[in-house]
Amino acid sequence: MPDIDPITISVVQHRLHAIVEEMGEAMLRTAYSQILNSSRDFSTALCDAEGRLIAQAEHVPIHVGALPWAVRSVHEYFRGRVNPGDVFLLNDPYRGGNHLPDLTAFVPVFDGDRLAFWAINRSHQSDIGGATHGAYNPGATEIWQEGIRVPPLRLYDRGRLIDDVNELLVLNVRHPRDFRGDLAAMIGSARVGERRLLALLAEFGSATTHAAIEAVLDGAERQVRAVIAGWPDGVYYGEAMIDDDGHRFRDIHIRAKVTKRGSDLEVDLSDSHEEVDGFINSSYPNTYSAVVVALSYLIDPETPKNDGAFRPVKLITREGTIVHPRPGKPVTLCTNCSGQEIIEAIIKALAPACPDRAMAGWGRRFRIAIQGVDPRTQKPFIWHLFQARPGGGASPAGDGWPGAGEWQAAGGIKFGSLEVAEVRFPLFFRRHEFRPDSGGDGKYRGGPGGDLEFAVEVAEPAVANTAGDGVKYGACGIHGGLDGAPHHYVLRSAGREDRPLRTKEVGIVIRPGDVIAAKSGGGGGWGDPADRSAEARARDIALGLVTGEAR
């Protein structure tokens, strides 16, 4: 390869980042469903022909670490049969997907006659079939109850849509119009990546482009190794807890043993809980993704998060555990739970080695999906709750972000406009504000969760399901900081007693005018609460984030 000057390397690095960001903007502006064009539950990335991650946008971190497995699955299945103009799909968690709702579109990019790159869009679908609406089935005990599984699948052949394959997919979802529009947006987003990569190759030439990319990957590896090398060698342990699996298991543990030698990290999750009945098992690609997300939170923010940055990590698991289930186990909640707990266990383990880098835990996911008929239009709808986002964890840099969401998404998923949601769905939001006293106390306070109340304005009963965790275990404090408050969700029906909602329920009847009151968890605190300044405490009370009363 030719010698490349640092300026060219930097230009190529930033061009790659610009490409994936533009792919994301294209997706945001063309997607149909609320979960994508409002809540932004998608990610864009570029991989090389071998599946090495070369660039990702700052969208949903848990999506991207699993992509190399997905690329390799597609590439190996269609080896020698990939052509310009092709488009491939995949969502199977056991072949590189995260979970079934995250459908992935792959567009191959050719450098002359040679396959050189893949432009990729991974997007969470509003529905993916299965026994329940909204792409989550808390009652599932096997993956076949969760939705349609898509193995490596060709959707376009040399630019021509394969109609029968497309119709097979559309037939298996509840809202075909949204699915068609979202899939077109995903492919269009990946096509943007293809065009921009071809322009990059044309501008710099093949040899220079590939050499610069190798230099970017090697540079990221050097930066990460320099950080890790500064931590004390040793063996570190961390544990995180999950409330339940929605079936028979309670108090489920994720245990991380992290061995640091020189600039290498060995993450051993073998002592984690055995695989469970419910949908919180994490397929190996999702587990690996959670591991590298944890590493990403401990290195310098300016370091590119690519294949080079993740080279110092070795992952050890044991098949048959919750972090490496046998094929066929349900996994749909794994991007949140147990993905978040894998992150938590690793950061807890490494916090003594890098106290100035470890942040406290972020609030956990607790979503609701409601299916019904909008009386204003007589059309069916599926609405996903993204409001009342939990609080972010505090860090050595300061207090946690309010309403920032879960650790595995790090603020990448948004809740969107309440007013737009009321226009699109039969909902009326009575209150949406920060939840006082929900952030864990500490030198730096955890971010507050949300306090939400909304009415469901349907004419006939609707049905809801829930998916999440964190009613028992809140976000962890760190370095002496206190845990954040756990979630508390309640369904209120006229003439009936308030009913607390569990985090994993199906078939919840929502009557006309019912109200859901959701108090989401806060982030964990960082550092000894005795070290918090009087000025900071006075500001918390003045802003209404803390009442001054014991929680």
Side-chain angles (χ1 to χ4, degrees), residues 192-214:
V192 169
E194 177 192 25
R195 292 196 298 272
R196 298 296 181 258
L197 281 169
L198 291 173
L200 182 68
L201 287 164
E203 180 177 346
F204 287 93
S206 177
T208 297
T209 300
H210 289 285
I213 289 172
E214 291 299 327

Side-chain angles (χ1 to χ4, degrees), residues 40-340:
R40 307 186 186 201
D41 195 350
F42 61 81
S43 294
T44 54
L46 304 173
C47 288
D48 68 6
E50 290 73 41
R52 296 184 304 170
L53 178 67
I54 60 174
Q56 62 169 303
E58 295 182 359
H59 292 142
V60 183
I62 195 69
H63 281 165
V64 183
L67 286 179
W69 275 266
V71 172
R72 288 193 286 270
S73 292
V74 171
H75 195 190
E76 290 169 7
Y77 189 84
F78 290 99
R79 184 176 297 278
R81 296 179 289 146
V82 178
N83 304 292
D86 288 353
V87 178
F88 301 92
L89 300 178
L90 179 145
N91 79 344
D92 188 356
Y94 292 99
R95 304 192 199 193
N98 289 96
H99 60 175
L100 293 182
D102 286 340
L103 186 63
T104 309
F106 307 81
V107 169
V109 182
F110 282 76
D111 180 2
D113 296 331
R114 177 170 64 98
L115 176 63
F117 305 107
W118 294 89
I120 305 166
N121 180 299
R122 175 162 287 181
S123 294
H124 187 113
Q125 306 303 301
S126 180
D127 188 84
I128 201 67
T132 58
H133 66 275
Y136 290 90
N137 180 9
T141 56
E142 57 183 14
I143 195 171
W144 295 277
Q145 297 166 340
E146 298 189 285
I148 185 171
R149 292 175 77 180
V150 182
L153 187 73
R154 192 194 307 268
L155 185 66
Y156 279 78
D157 185 1
R158 297 176 175 88
R160 181 185 62 84
L161 175 66
I162 305 174
D163 295 315
D164 53 352
V165 172
N166 189 57
E167 289 306 308
L168 174 66
L169 297 172
V170 171
L171 187 64
N172 277 278
V173 299
R174 290 173 174 82
H175 282 191
R177 176 185 176 274
D178 282 2
F179 181 82
R180 289 181 190 272
D182 290 340
L183 182 55
M186 292 169 61
I187 295 167
S189 165
R191 292 278 191 217
V192 169
E194 177 192 25
R195 292 196 298 272
R196 298 296 181 258
L197 281 169
L198 291 173
L200 182 68
L201 287 164
E203 180 177 346
F204 287 93
S206 177
T208 297
T209 300
H210 289 285
I213 289 172
E214 291 299 327
V216 170
L217 300 181
D218 291 345
E221 179 181 9
R222 286 194 300 273
Q223 292 175 46
V224 174
R225 289 193 180 279
V227 170
I228 295 172
W231 305 342
D233 283 356
V235 180
Y236 302 92
Y237 297 88
E239 180 179 83
M241 300 297 296
I242 299 169
D243 294 353
D244 60 78
D245 75 333
H247 295 269
R248 61 191 173 104
F249 292 99
R250 303 286 185 274
D251 303 317
I252 299 161
H253 61 269
I254 305 290
R255 290 177 181 150
K257 173 186 174 184
V258 184
T259 303
K260 186 270 178 184
R261 298 187 190 92
S263 63
D264 291 306
L265 291 177
E266 179 183 272
V267 178
D268 188 343
L269 302 176
S270 301
D271 194 30
S272 295
H273 197 283
E274 299 300 309
E275 60 190 14
V276 297
D277 298 337
F279 63 168
I280 64 171
N281 298 290
S282 176
S283 62
Y284 184 89
N286 187 78
T287 294
Y288 176 83
S289 190
V291 170
V292 297
V293 168
L295 174 64
S296 297
Y297 294 159
L298 297 173
I299 61 177
D300 295 338
E302 298 82 9
T303 299
K305 312 306 185 291
N306 57 32
D307 176 84
F310 305 149
R311 289 172 187 165
V313 177
K314 176 184 178 183
L315 173 61
I316 298 173
T317 61
R318 178 169 55 87
E319 189 174 26
T321 60
I322 192 173
V323 299
H324 191 167
R326 297 176 181 90
K329 281 290 185 179
V331 298
T332 299
L333 194 57
C334 70
T335 52
N336 293 282
C337 172
S338 53
Q340 173 141 332

Side-chain angles (χ1 to χ4, degrees), residues 456-458 460-462 491 493-494 496 509-515:
V456 184
E457 298 181 328
V458 290
E460 300 293 335
L491 174 64
S493 298
R496 299 170 183 265
V509 177
I510 306 293
R511 297 170 178 83
D514 276 4
V515 172

